[in-house]
Amino acid sequence: MKEEDMPIDIRLHRLLDFLITRLICPRDWQKNIITVRQNINNAIQDMPAVDEIANLLAGTYINYFHCKRILEILKETESSTKNIFGQYSSQRMKDWLEIVKLYEKDNIYIAEAAQLLFRNIVYELPSLKKQMIKCKQIQEESLKKEGDYAKNEHAMRENYISSCQQIGIEGKNIKKELLSLLDELPGALNAIATSAKELAPVRNYYVAFLNFTLKKDMDSNCLLLLRHIIEKGNTTTFEFRTGEPPEVVEVTTPVLPLDVDCASTEAADDQIDFGDLITNSESGDDRSSSSPNGDFVHVDREECKPDNVDQIDFGDSEINWDISVETSGTAEFQVLDSGSGGKVAHGTDALSVLENESTRNSFYNDLLELETFLEQRLFEAESAGNDVLSSNLFHNAPSDLQMQSTESLKQMLSSVKSISSLLMTTKLKHLYLIKNSPRYVDRLVESLKSKLETAERMAECQKAVKLKYQEAVEEQKVLHPKIKLIVKKTKILLSEVERDISKRYKNRHVKINGGLSALKQITDY
């Protein structure tokens, strides 16, 4: 094979060394390129409005081959400035002729082109490709995060709505609605007491069972709270404790917080007015007045009336309005001594048995005891495969015990569970805590608000990731044409360099390895 037929293969990263070692360009070529770049920067400030020139100047670093093409275009646009000697008087032509001349001195243009190829293929284009890949990753991650945030927001809002529904409020003005629920508590407890009267046959069955098995009368010591509510209803604790109704009921209402959710102009309306909640005595002669600290005091008019109005001496003595204050078992109630000496229910004694935490728990325990008993009887009945009382153990039992079947036991058990579930609903549990602890209102409000705040944060996160997604889309729109333009011009530069080197070696075929293959990998995204 002849020498001129042998191809010249040059690796891209060794291209500049190839040019220097073969003395095509000097080793210190960079010091001369500075002047060329300065002249180019000055020359492009004054260019004719030609589309091709604009395309050459756009997108990539201007090199020698661009300058040659610009000079050819200017020969046409500046032909009118040519004199009889064939020289151009146009400053544009002079500037670009000077630039091309400086480029061709010592062949520094080919060294700059080799460096530019290496920089574009090895550094700039891979960097732009990484940015493009990162934009796509950001878009995918943003879509996933947006879905997760939307799911979490929906879950928190559903949780908030569910919590409000369990408590029995709408959720628009949380604290005001919670405090207004206290008005429903007495009615709800009275309804439970009314329903509990239906458990009289169940309790009688339990007592009869105990009397028969223990051989003694258990009626006076068995399920006392349940028996009291069945017989007398939701009376005061005083009546349950003493067996007699009080003559005077002194109820001191706990101080509950204002609804700070409302505007300041509506703050006065957000307070709960407890003025009508004080229970008067059965005689109807008792009256109530409130002390400056918000506590309610019963004042008997008959006690304040002197025996003989004419004998009152207003000398130097003063009326003593001081009223002693006693503290009841709970911190929320202040018990005031009316001085009547009669049957006065105050403090926890003034509460109904289902409002009083202690007696309410006892009533609930009675229900659980009854429920456990019935479950055991039902288990024994179903295990025996026949009526539970058909065995020899209950042969001499009263007829009330022997007549009970599995179906009747199931019905009784269902009735007991129904009452216990009514007493311990989520709504009533919150009402018990609200009534006994004003601070619980604030804690409950904060708990509900935190759900909404979390939902709002999720909504803000959705907006943030949507914005991030859109920014990545816009950046991708800018990067895509930029990469295509640089790849296109780099291919042109690569072919120009190969052609230039080929001319120097008798038109032998020159191939720069790592050029086109690298560009192909970059464009595959």
Side-chain angles (χ1 to χ4, degrees):
M1 181 181 293
K2 297 181 180 180
E3 182 180 356
E4 58 267 19
D5 295 331
M6 296 178 61
I8 300 176
D9 291 336
I10 308 172
R11 298 190 63 82
L12 178 64
H13 68 281
R14 301 292 298 173
L15 177 59
L16 189 57
D17 290 339
F18 174 87
L19 297 173
I20 294 174
T21 55
R22 282 157 179 78
L23 303 179
I24 297 175
C25 59
R27 190 174 295 276
D28 60 348
W29 63 271
Q30 289 182 335
K31 68 178 183 180
N32 297 324
I33 205 69
I34 297 175
T35 304
V36 177
R37 303 312 308 178
Q38 290 176 348
N39 289 349
I40 291 175
N41 290 334
N42 294 330
I44 61 176
Q45 304 300 322
D46 179 26
M47 298 297 294
V50 179
D51 293 338
E52 187 177 354
I53 292 179
N55 292 332
L56 289 172
L57 298 177
T60 57
Y61 194 80
I62 300 175
N63 56 63
Y64 167 77
F65 303 101
H66 292 154
C67 297
K68 290 279 289 184
R69 181 55 188 160
I70 290 173
L71 194 57
E72 292 176 4
I73 296 172
L74 289 179
K75 288 179 180 180
E76 297 178 2
T77 59
E78 306 295 323
S79 59
S80 59
T81 63
K82 193 174 183 181
N83 58 28
I84 59 175
F85 300 104
Q87 296 178 342
Y88 292 90
S89 60
S90 170
Q91 186 61 40
R92 292 173 182 169
M93 285 295 297
K94 293 179 181 180
D95 292 340
W96 287 102
L97 285 170
E98 179 65 20
I99 291 171
V100 171
K101 182 180 179 181
L102 291 175
Y103 256 134
E104 292 175 347
K105 184 180 180 181
D106 295 330
N107 297 320
I108 62 174
Y109 72 90
I110 192 67
E112 184 196 49
Q115 186 189 56
L116 188 57
L117 277 176
F118 184 80
R119 187 180 68 183
N120 285 354
I121 296 174
V122 176
Y123 294 108
E124 186 169 358
L125 285 172
S127 176
L128 292 175
K129 183 181 178 180
K130 288 180 181 179
Q131 291 183 42
M132 178 71 75
I133 294 173
K134 185 177 181 181
C135 287
K136 291 183 178 180
Q137 290 177 345
I138 290 174
Q139 293 174 41
E140 293 174 358
E141 292 173 359
S142 297
L143 288 175
K144 183 179 181 299
K145 287 182 179 180
E146 183 181 355
D148 292 341
Y149 289 139
K151 182 179 179 181
N152 292 336
E153 180 192 4
H154 179 73
M156 292 308 300
R157 293 194 187 278
E158 289 294 323
N159 192 345
Y160 174 77
I161 293 173
S162 175
S163 299
C164 290
Q165 288 176 346
Q166 289 179 352
I167 300 173
I169 62 176
E170 189 175 356
K172 292 182 178 179
N173 195 326
I174 303 174
K175 184 176 285 187
K176 185 175 182 179
E177 293 173 18
L178 286 174
L179 296 180
S180 65
L181 283 180
L182 286 177
D183 296 338
E184 303 177 13
L185 182 59
L189 296 179
N190 290 334
I192 293 174
T194 302
S195 300
K197 294 180 182 295
E198 300 175 0
L199 300 181
V202 184
R203 181 184 179 277
N204 293 337
Y205 169 66
Y206 181 44
V207 172
F209 182 89
L210 292 179
N211 291 340
F212 175 74
T213 54
L214 299 178
K215 307 301 181 182
K216 60 180 180 179
D217 186 9
M218 298 294 296
D219 185 60
S220 60
N221 297 319
C222 178
L223 308 179
L224 299 182
L225 252 301
L226 178 59
R227 184 183 71 174
H228 178 81
I229 290 177
I230 290 174
E231 294 176 352
K232 299 183 179 181
N234 188 28
T235 66
T236 61
T237 306
F238 179 90
E239 184 173 349
F240 167 72
R241 188 172 56 82
T242 63
E244 299 179 0
E247 296 178 357
V248 179
V249 178
E250 295 179 351
V251 179
T252 302
T253 304
V255 179
L256 293 174
L258 299 180
D259 186 357
V260 296
D261 292 339
C262 296
S264 58
T265 56
E266 299 176 356
D269 296 333
D270 294 336
Q271 302 184 47
I272 295 181
D273 183 8
F274 294 99
D276 298 329
L277 295 181
I278 302 173
T279 306
N280 295 332
S281 67
E282 297 178 358
S283 63
D285 292 334
D286 296 324
R287 299 292 183 268
S288 302
S289 62
S290 61
S291 64
N293 62 359
D295 298 325
F296 289 83
V297 184
H298 278 269
V299 181
D300 193 336
R301 291 188 176 184
E302 296 298 324
E303 293 176 1
C304 295
K305 187 182 297 182
D307 295 334
N308 190 345
V309 178
D310 298 333
Q311 297 178 0
I312 297 178
D313 184 10
F314 293 97
D316 296 332
S317 63
E318 296 182 355
I319 300 175
N320 184 7
W321 295 101
D322 294 337
I323 301 175
S324 62
V325 178
E326 300 176 0
T327 303
S328 67
T330 59
E332 290 80 5
F333 296 94
Q334 293 181 336
V335 182
L336 306 178
D337 186 4
S338 65
S340 63
K343 300 175 182 178
V344 181
H346 50 67
T348 54
D349 277 353
L351 299 175
S352 69
V353 289
L354 293 183
E355 282 183 310
N356 188 345
E357 182 180 3
S358 177
T359 52
R360 182 176 65 250
N361 290 338
S362 297
F363 175 65
Y364 185 65
N365 290 335
D366 288 352
L367 294 176
L368 293 181
E369 181 180 345
L370 199 56
E371 182 179 329
T372 304
F373 163 74
L374 292 172
E375 287 177 345
Q376 181 63 27
R377 300 285 73 75
L378 184 60
F379 173 75
E380 293 174 355
E382 292 176 343
S383 298
N386 202 344
D387 292 343
V388 64
L389 299 177
S390 61
S391 63
N392 294 331
L393 177 63
F394 294 96
H395 181 69
N396 298 324
S399 59
D400 290 347
L401 293 180
Q402 296 188 34
M403 291 173 60
Q404 301 299 332
S405 63
T406 55
E407 294 301 324
S408 61
L409 289 173
K410 287 181 180 179
Q411 186 175 1
M412 286 190 290
L413 180 60
S414 176
S415 300
V416 175
K417 286 185 175 181
S418 176
I419 300 300
S420 61
S421 63
L422 287 175
L423 187 66
M424 289 299 171
T425 61
T426 303
K427 180 178 179 179
L428 284 182
K429 286 180 181 178
H430 285 298
L431 289 180
Y432 300 150
L433 293 170
I434 291 171
K435 184 173 180 62
N436 293 330
S437 175
R439 293 181 181 178
Y440 178 75
V441 179
D442 293 328
R443 293 198 297 269
L444 184 56
V445 169
E446 290 301 320
S447 175
L448 291 174
K449 281 186 175 180
S450 66
K451 301 178 187 296
L452 277 183
E453 290 172 357
T454 302
E456 293 298 329
R457 285 198 297 271
M458 293 298 102
E460 292 298 324
C461 290
Q462 287 182 66
K463 294 179 181 178
V465 296
K466 282 182 180 179
L467 180 60
K468 194 173 183 180
Y469 173 84
Q470 193 59 38
E471 290 176 349
V473 170
E474 295 299 327
E475 185 177 357
Q476 184 178 349
K477 289 180 179 179
V478 174
L479 288 175
H480 186 71
K482 185 177 181 180
I483 292 176
K484 288 183 67 176
L485 180 61
I486 295 177
V487 168
K488 178 182 177 182
K489 293 194 173 184
T490 303
K491 287 181 178 179
I492 296 173
L493 181 61
L494 183 64
S495 62
E496 293 286 357
V497 172
E498 289 176 344
R499 189 180 301 113
D500 187 275
I501 297 174
S502 177
K503 291 178 180 179
R504 298 175 187 274
Y505 290 92
K506 300 178 182 180
N507 294 323
R508 290 171 60 182
H509 178 71
V510 176
K511 182 180 179 181
I512 299 177
N513 296 322
L516 288 175
S517 58
L519 291 175
K520 187 177 183 301
Q521 292 178 358
I522 291 171
T523 54
D524 292 339
Y525 56 84

